[in-house]
Amino acid sequence: MKKVMVLVGLMMCSLPALANGDAQAGEQKAAMCVACHGATGKVSVPMYPNLAGQNEKYLEHSLQAYKKGERSGGQAEIMKAYVSGLSDEDISNLAAYYSSMKP
């Protein structure tokens, strides 16, 4: 069990190293996100999540899940429509952009 915990800890430490999106390129793609998630990644309508300062890999995983139709409920269908035309690189860049913002 101790070995597993050490391994998990090492994997968690390596997550930032795995992030590889381009925040500047993500800023260009973020224009379509502003209506719901705000210009600064902070919302004024509570039904939408704040994106500013979120973990990059979490955001990337979430966007991929919307794109693949793996999320349902809430605004999932709207999100799927928004992200369906994004490439994997676009998604990585958006995740980098929002994670680089101050929460």
Side-chain angles (χ1 to χ4, degrees), residues 83-98:
V83 300
S84 65
L86 296 175
S87 68
D88 291 346
E89 183 178 10
D90 292 337
I91 288 173
S92 291
N93 294 343
L94 276 168
Y97 172 64
Y98 281 110

Side-chain angles (χ1 to χ4, degrees), residues 4-44:
V4 171
M5 295 303 292
V6 170
L7 180 60
V8 169
L10 289 173
M11 289 173 59
M12 295 295 287
C13 291
S14 69
L15 283 178
L18 297 174
N20 59 356
D22 179 347
Q24 287 182 322
E27 184 175 10
Q28 303 302 312
K29 290 287 180 182
M32 67 182 186
C33 309
V34 171
C36 298
H37 298 287
T40 62
K42 297 174 190 144
V43 300
S44 59

